[in-house]
Amino acid sequence: MSNSRFDRRNFLKAGAAAGSVFVLPGIVSAQGKPITVGVIYVGPRDDFGYNQAQAQAAAAAKKMAGVKVLEEEKVPETVAVQKSMEAMIEQDGASLIFATSFGYFDPHMLKVAAKYPKVFFAHCGGMWTQGKHPANTGSYFGYIDECQYLSGVVAAHVSKSKKLGFVAAKPIPQVLRNINAFTMGAKSVDPAFTTRVIFTGDWSQPVKEAEATNSLLDQGCDVFTCHVDGPKVVVETAEKRGAFTCGYHASQAALAPKGYLTGAEWDWSTPYATLIDAVKAGKQPPNFLRGGLKEGFVKMSAYGPAVPDKAKKAADDIKAKMVKGEFQIFKGPLKDNKGAVVIPAGTTLSQQDPKLEAMNYLVEGVIGQI
């Protein structure tokens, strides 16, 4: 991967020096013709986590007729990603770019999108706003908090200490939403449950992730989940010390044969296919693409051997309601962990509510601070 990135960037520099003019494919001119899609990852594609889940979708896209997929891994959230995007477009003729990491969006993706108005840029997790962001940009994300809620339900049936552990990267809305949903799922089983959270400060900090997990274990937490790019360290650390885990991003069951309970997984192949099909057909891709269990954007990991039948039934019953649209996670009265009312009584926020994508609080029952 590093070699391909080097080649593309050198090509870009050479083209600029020679004053080359490139003809770029247009969003509305594909009309079923073969297209080139670029996928950029902030970490390795085999991280048992966030990047691996995206790479699984890219692998599925490679099997689509008339689609060529380019991939670059370990591209930091700096000007480096701008260079990677431009090289994919100018050297390889990419007409659709999947910018998969949170920090790629602003300013990097937005700057490149302004330069290449005929290319569509899809960002994972960003909040695309009509009138504010270019029409050739958009965001895709899944309501994985549904799966985190179900993980919390399962965790509560297994935990003996009623203390859950959560290792998180950054206190952005998507992360807070997962922490809160996991906690609320556990508290739906028993209000006495608490979740202790430690933020490491970045998406991939293996040493800090291990330290955080051990610290939470020492505090009595016996079931863990996380929101970091690669859950491998958290899962393996908990397994070594006899604790249980609920995975995230992709399945980590192979890493914890005894303690893996279930997990919240992405199925990015669903939004990838939607966006690729639109570009292939010469249509404007959707700028704001969201879905949950019902739409096939997310899924649960298979239950591990330590999950009792009672837990399976409780989670499966709620999951069935979620799929039917009959279950909403965030409804009032709901307080944050400082005692302030964040959702008043009688108010229910649907998964599509923009207020949830701007979440800036931890709910009652979470021990930790932003």
Side-chain angles (χ1 to χ4, degrees):
M1 277 301 143
S2 59
N3 287 337
S4 66
R5 191 184 317 137
F6 177 81
D7 290 343
R8 286 197 181 99
R9 289 176 184 168
N10 277 352
F11 177 92
L12 190 62
K13 291 176 183 177
S20 301
V21 177
F22 299 90
V23 179
L24 302 177
I27 294 174
V28 295
S29 62
Q31 298 175 346
K33 294 180 181 180
I35 65 167
T36 298
V37 176
V39 186
I40 304 176
Y41 314 104
V42 72
R45 290 177 295 174
D46 57 352
D47 64 353
F48 278 96
Y50 182 82
N51 297 287
Q52 183 167 314
Q54 298 279 353
Q56 288 169 349
K62 291 176 183 178
K63 298 178 182 178
M64 298 175 68
V67 178
K68 177 183 177 183
V69 178
L70 310 168
E71 298 174 273
E72 289 198 41
E73 60 185 356
K74 302 178 184 178
V75 181
E77 295 173 328
T78 65
V79 69
V81 73
Q82 295 183 40
K83 295 177 181 178
S84 292
M85 290 184 210
E86 291 190 27
M88 283 181 168
I89 295 165
E90 300 220 14
Q91 179 181 354
D92 300 294
S95 54
L96 172 60
I97 299 288
F98 286 94
T100 67
S101 190
F102 182 80
Y104 288 166
F105 184 70
D106 190 1
H108 309 299
M109 193 185 88
L110 294 178
K111 281 188 174 182
V112 180
K115 187 174 180 180
Y116 300 99
K118 292 184 178 181
V119 177
F120 192 82
F121 297 80
H123 179 258
C124 187
M127 183 69 173
W128 184 87
T129 304
Q130 187 173 8
K132 178 180 179 181
H133 298 127
N136 65 323
T137 65
S139 71
Y140 64 97
F141 206 62
Y143 300 129
I144 203 165
D145 54 333
E146 295 175 353
C147 298
Q148 285 283 18
Y149 186 96
L150 297 174
S151 289
V153 171
V154 173
H157 281 84
V158 176
S159 172
K160 290 182 172 59
S161 68
K162 297 186 180 181
K163 297 178 182 179
L164 309 178
F166 202 117
V167 179
K170 301 179 181 183
I172 64 172
Q174 290 89 343
V175 177
L176 299 178
R177 190 166 170 174
N178 281 335
I179 297 168
N180 292 338
F182 180 70
T183 304
M184 293 166 70
K187 288 175 70 66
S188 73
V189 178
D190 187 338
F193 268 90
T194 59
T195 300
R196 286 161 170 76
V197 60
I198 293 178
F199 293 98
T200 63
D202 212 344
W203 300 115
S204 182
Q205 294 282 349
V207 174
K208 290 184 178 180
E209 290 159 15
E211 291 173 347
T213 306
N214 280 311
S215 174
L216 292 169
L217 281 159
D218 292 341
Q219 294 175 49
C221 297
D222 58 359
V223 183
F224 287 78
T225 191
C226 60
H227 190 151
V228 295
D229 270 5
K232 186 174 186 289
V233 170
V234 175
V235 173
E236 289 183 331
T237 302
E239 180 80 352
K240 287 177 182 177
R241 292 188 57 179
F244 298 96
T245 51
C246 295
Y248 190 56
H249 294 312
S251 176
Q252 293 88 41
L255 303 176
K258 294 180 179 179
Y260 196 80
L261 302 178
T262 185
E265 297 185 37
W266 302 105
D267 190 351
W268 294 125
S269 62
T270 302
Y272 271 48
T274 299
L275 292 162
I276 290 171
D277 284 342
V279 173
K280 282 185 66 180
K283 298 178 180 179
Q284 169 69 30
N287 299 102
F288 192 81
L289 192 56
R290 297 291 188 275
L293 286 163
K294 179 180 180 180
E295 295 79 13
F297 280 53
V298 298
K299 59 185 178 181
M300 295 297 293
S301 299
Y303 293 122
V307 180
D309 290 340
K310 184 178 179 181
K312 295 177 184 178
K313 185 180 186 307
D316 287 346
D317 287 349
I318 297 172
K319 178 182 175 182
K321 292 179 181 178
M322 287 178 171
V323 171
K324 292 179 181 178
E326 298 174 354
F327 189 95
Q328 298 296 336
I329 298 172
F330 294 99
K331 53 190 175 183
L334 183 66
K335 294 182 179 180
D336 65 17
N337 65 353
K338 297 179 181 179
V341 175
V342 288
I343 303 179
T347 299
T348 298
L349 301 182
S350 69
Q351 290 291 70
Q352 298 81 10
D353 196 306
K355 292 179 183 177
L356 295 180
E357 298 219 13
M359 187 173 286
N360 61 356
Y361 56 84
L362 293 168
V363 298
E364 190 174 30
V366 179
I367 299 174
Q369 57 184 343
I370 300 172

